[in-house]
């Protein structure tokens, strides 16, 4: 039995290594590769991707999984070997249910759609990309149908990023959140917006980097097992548990941009770096779902990084680093500036209160499109109407409306967005549990100390990697299911005071 388990681990390690090699190429392409490398790099990435897929769908893995079933059943559910077999089986079944020819056609279609979108968005030309998006919707529906027995057609697609979460669960959670969020948004937006001019003075790149590197090192980001580079869109990638990389983008006239995206990506990286080293190069390494991953980036970026406690310690240091820019700005003015709430057009630039409304709109449209209750051609108008109703502003064009996010134009319709808001909700729920165990955490943050919080997150969440599904992990950590109440309580405690609600 142990020989079979070793053989399974060897096969999984080879596939993981091919995937990691592809990730290195992808990281290089997004950071340092000259434009001339694009065609060869696409070819190189494609062959590595195909080899990894062939390894992971090899019928030999299916036979090993069958042979190992008695071992799995003889072990406790949370045993590492039992978990490895269980998670591998789930992924193997998912991969082998979809014919390779379908995946190839989908991949080609997606690449074509993406390139059309890169023209359509700057031209503000939805009509150009509409026929491609209609085909994407068709592909998405057909992909879901390889997994019959679903409750909602979006469920199999949601499973790709947030395994175990159903459209009905997410819909109910979002409806609950929405009902409590809208009054907060209305109460805040009835007041004049905070003055954030202080963030838009000139901040040289080198000093910005010096500051946030110190911050993320204090959070616990291990520079011996990771690094930070520059790319047009910030991201986190991992080649092994010992090499987790993040990127930022600098704007010299926007202090918040690199600073908060560094904290955000560091949150993702802490999760990856904190995984049990025994899971290296197996399906148990890495975060368990997009929602749980996002809970960590949001927790470090917003709950910690935009808190009064955090800036009690760090604002004097930031002021000392930028005396000309911040010498005349009080800590209170700065705190209000970084927590400014104002409805805006672009999801990625939205504040932590209105952000979720952007996500819910997209999630509801995905369901309506997949159900056949909304046609792709009616999407731009539906977008404008819903945006006006939810955020009180009408997008002046499609460029900053339905064309703004890459997700539908570089992937599938279904399962693309819910993880962001699940992350906001979960981040607050996990933080509430950390505080219950260690009430001293806010006082430590006010001294620039994050060890207690980091250790609690590592012991309760990071170390498990993908061993538990998100619903299982939430149950283990919080003693119950996903709940909106801690997030609403967090928003009230912060913004009632800021805006005297
Ligand atoms: Zn993120």
């Amino acid at each position: 039995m142990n020989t079979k388990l070793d053989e399974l681990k060897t096969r999984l390690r080879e596939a993981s290594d091919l995937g990691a090699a592809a990730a290195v190429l992808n990281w290089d392409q997004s950071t340092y590769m000259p434009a001339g490398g694009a065609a060869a790099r696409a070819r190189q990435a494609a062959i590595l991707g195909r080899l990894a897929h062939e390894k992971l769908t090899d019928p030999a893995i299916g036979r090993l999984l069958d042979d190992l079933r008695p071992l799995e059943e003889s072990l406790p559910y949370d045993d590492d070997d039992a978990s490895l077999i269980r998670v591998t089986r789930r992924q193997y079944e998912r991969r082998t249910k979809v014919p390779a020819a379908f995946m190839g056609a989908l991949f080609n279609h997606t690449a074509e759609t993406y390139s059309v979108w890169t023209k359509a968005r700057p031209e503000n030309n939805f009509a150009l990309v509409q026929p491609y998006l209609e085909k994407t919707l068709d592909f998405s529906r057909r992909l879901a149908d390889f997994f019959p027995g679903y409750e909602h057609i979006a469920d199999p697609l949601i499973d790709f990023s947030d395994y175990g979460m159903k459209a009905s669960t997410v819909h109910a959670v979002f409806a609950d959140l929405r009902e409590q969020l809208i009054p907060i948004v209305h109460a805040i937006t009835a007041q004049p917006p905070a003055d954030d001019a202080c963030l838009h003075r000139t901040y040289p790149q080198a000093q910005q980097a010096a500051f946030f590197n110190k911050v993320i090192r204090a959070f616990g980001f291990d520079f011996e097992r990771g690094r930070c580079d520059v790319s047009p869109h910030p991201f986190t990638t991992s080649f092994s548990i010992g090499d987790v990389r993040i990127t930022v983008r600098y704007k010299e006239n926007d202090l918040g941009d690199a600073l908060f995206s560094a904290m955000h990506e560091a949150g993702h990286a802490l999760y990856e770096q904190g995984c049990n080293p025994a899971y290296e190069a197996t399906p148990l390494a890495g975060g368990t779902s997009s929602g749980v991953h996002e809970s960590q980036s949001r927790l470090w970026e917003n709950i910690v990084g935009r808190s009064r406690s955090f800036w009690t310690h760090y604002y004097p240091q930031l002021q000392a680093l930028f005396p000309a820019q911040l010498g005349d700005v009080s800590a209170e003015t700065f705190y209000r500036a970084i927590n400014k709430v104002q409805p805006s057009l672009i999801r990625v630039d939205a504040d932590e209160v209105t952000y979720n409304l952007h996500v819910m709109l997209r999630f509801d449209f995905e369901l309506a499109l997949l159900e056949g209750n909304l046609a792709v051609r009616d999407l731009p108008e539906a977008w404008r109407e819903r945006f006006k109703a939810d955020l009180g502003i009408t997008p002046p064009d499609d460029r900053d409306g339905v064309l703004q996010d890459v997700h539908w134009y570089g992937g599938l319709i279904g399962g693309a967005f819910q993880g962001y808001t699940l992350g906001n909700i979960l981040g607050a729920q996990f933080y509430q549990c950390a505080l219950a165990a260690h009430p001293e955490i806010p006082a430590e943050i006010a001294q620039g100390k994050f060890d207690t919080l980091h250790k609690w997150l590592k012991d309760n969440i990071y170390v498990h990697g993908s061993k538990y599904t998100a619903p299982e992990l939430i149950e283990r950590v919080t003693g119950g299911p996903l709940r909106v109440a801690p997030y609403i309580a967090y928003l009230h405690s912060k913004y009632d005071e800021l805006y005297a609600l």
Side-chain angles (χ1 to χ4, degrees):
M1 210 47 107
N2 277 335
T3 332
K4 302 243 184 225
L5 187 60
D6 286 343
E7 191 190 334
L8 180 70
K9 286 179 180 171
T10 304
R11 286 176 175 275
L12 293 171
R13 187 165 56 240
E14 287 171 359
S16 165
D17 287 346
L18 285 166
V24 177
L25 294 188
N26 190 341
W27 168 85
D28 172 69
Q29 181 166 17
S30 313
T31 50
Y32 298 106
M33 189 188 82
R41 185 54 49 88
R43 211 176 56 229
Q44 294 151 359
I47 180 66
L48 284 174
R50 199 184 64 192
L51 289 172
H53 184 78
E54 281 170 11
K55 287 225 173 262
L56 289 168
T57 53
D58 190 325
I61 292 205
R63 288 193 293 273
L64 285 167
L65 288 169
D66 286 341
D67 294 346
L68 286 164
R69 204 181 279 275
L71 174 67
E72 182 192 358
E73 283 166 0
S74 72
L75 295 167
Y77 185 84
D78 59 359
D79 175 86
D80 282 350
D81 287 337
S83 300
L84 176 71
I85 299 167
R86 180 178 68 245
V87 173
T88 304
R89 178 178 294 112
R90 190 171 75 218
Q91 295 184 353
Y92 178 79
E93 284 175 357
R94 192 156 4 139
R95 287 193 183 99
T96 51
K97 269 184 184 162
V98 186
F102 177 89
M103 287 311 289
L106 171 62
F107 186 79
N108 287 337
H109 167 70
T110 302
E112 213 181 333
T113 307
Y114 175 79
S115 101
V116 174
W117 173 74
T118 58
K119 286 199 244 354
R121 189 177 181 215
E123 285 174 18
N124 187 34
N125 187 352
F126 181 76
L128 188 66
V129 80
Q130 184 190 317
Y132 294 87
L133 199 58
E134 281 165 353
K135 231 174 136 185
T136 302
L137 180 59
D138 184 51
F139 267 113
S140 306
R141 285 204 184 109
R142 280 158 60 207
L143 183 60
D145 283 334
F146 288 115
F147 304 88
Y150 52 71
E151 183 185 292
H152 188 285
I153 186 169
D155 289 350
L157 306 170
I158 292 172
D159 271 350
F160 284 112
S161 48
D162 287 290
Y163 183 82
M165 293 281 177
K166 286 184 184 313
S168 57
T169 325
V170 178
H171 195 76
V173 167
F174 283 11
D176 184 13
L177 175 62
R178 191 183 156 78
E179 205 183 294
Q180 303 182 68
L181 194 59
I182 296 265
I184 303 177
V185 172
H186 286 167
I188 293 176
T189 51
Q191 301 183 34
D195 178 5
D196 64 352
C198 63
L199 302 177
H200 300 286
R201 294 168 178 171
T202 303
Y203 293 91
Q205 186 170 322
Q207 281 135 287
Q208 287 193 42
F211 183 76
F212 73 66
N213 278 321
K214 194 160 89 172
V215 168
I216 65 174
R217 193 185 295 275
F219 281 177
F221 182 86
D222 182 353
F223 280 90
E224 296 293 312
R225 299 190 298 130
R227 46 180 289 137
C228 177
D229 295 270
V230 180
S231 69
H233 302 284
F235 67 96
T236 301
T237 185
S238 157
F239 313 142
S240 68
I241 296 168
D243 189 353
V244 181
R245 306 197 183 183
I246 65 171
T247 68
V248 295
R249 151 191 77 192
Y250 293 95
K251 288 187 187 156
E252 295 215 319
N253 67 347
D254 185 353
L255 177 63
D257 204 64
L259 174 60
F260 290 108
S261 52
M263 294 186 197
H264 180 101
E265 300 306 330
H268 284 302
L270 290 174
Y271 189 5
E272 296 283 321
Q273 287 184 334
C275 180
N276 183 345
Y279 300 165
E280 178 73 48
T282 76
L284 299 186
T288 189
S289 74
S290 76
V292 176
H293 235 300
E294 205 61 17
S295 78
Q296 295 314 301
S297 55
R298 299 274 159 183
L299 192 159
W300 287 101
E301 175 196 354
N302 289 330
I303 299 178
V304 175
R306 291 182 208 265
S307 70
R308 234 184 238 289
S309 314
F310 177 88
W311 291 103
T312 302
H313 179 77
Y314 278 105
Y315 190 61
Q317 296 185 30
L318 189 70
Q319 257 184 329
L321 191 63
F322 296 111
Q325 298 89 333
L326 293 173
D328 63 343
V329 178
S330 70
E332 186 61 25
T333 302
F334 181 80
Y335 177 67
R336 297 181 77 88
I338 58 167
N339 286 297
K340 177 180 178 175
V341 175
Q342 190 175 33
S344 58
L345 293 172
I346 307 293
R347 175 184 61 87
V348 295
D349 296 334
D351 58 80
E352 64 173 330
V353 182
T354 61
Y355 186 90
N356 300 297
L357 297 175
H358 293 256
V359 173
M360 290 178 198
L361 167 156
R362 286 156 176 78
F363 180 74
D364 287 348
F365 284 158
E366 286 192 317
L367 297 195
L369 287 163
L370 288 164
E371 287 160 359
N373 290 326
L374 175 65
V376 168
R377 66 170 180 281
D378 297 327
L379 193 53
E381 190 49 38
W383 188 287
R384 278 188 286 275
E385 278 174 22
R386 170 78 184 261
F387 208 88
K388 173 89 175 102
D390 279 12
L391 287 128
I393 45 178
T394 309
D397 53 29
D398 293 333
R399 179 181 11 231
D400 289 339
V402 68
L403 288 171
Q404 69 178 267
D405 291 306
V406 64
H407 303 56
W408 293 338
Y409 307 99
L412 296 163
I413 294 175
F417 290 101
Q418 76 286 330
Y420 297 115
T421 284
L422 292 177
N424 281 328
I425 298 169
L426 270 175
Q429 198 176 350
F430 288 147
Y431 188 69
Q432 189 189 55
C433 292
L435 287 189
H438 301 283
E440 70 277 18
I441 285 174
E444 290 184 1
I445 293 175
Q447 297 173 322
K449 292 187 185 134
F450 307 96
D451 303 3
T452 306
L453 175 61
H454 183 207
K455 186 175 184 313
W456 186 89
L457 292 167
K458 193 175 168 189
D459 292 348
N460 288 280
I461 298 169
Y462 303 170
V463 72
H464 299 306
S466 292
K467 181 162 155 175
Y468 303 111
T469 66
E472 287 170 353
L473 185 73
I474 297 164
E475 179 74 37
R476 272 182 68 95
V477 176
T478 72
L482 179 77
R483 284 173 59 237
V484 166
Y487 180 57
I488 291 292
Y490 157 74
L491 289 178
H492 271 298
S493 75
K494 181 167 176 178
Y495 291 96
D496 287 4
E497 184 249 355
L498 258 171
Y499 285 89
L501 299 181

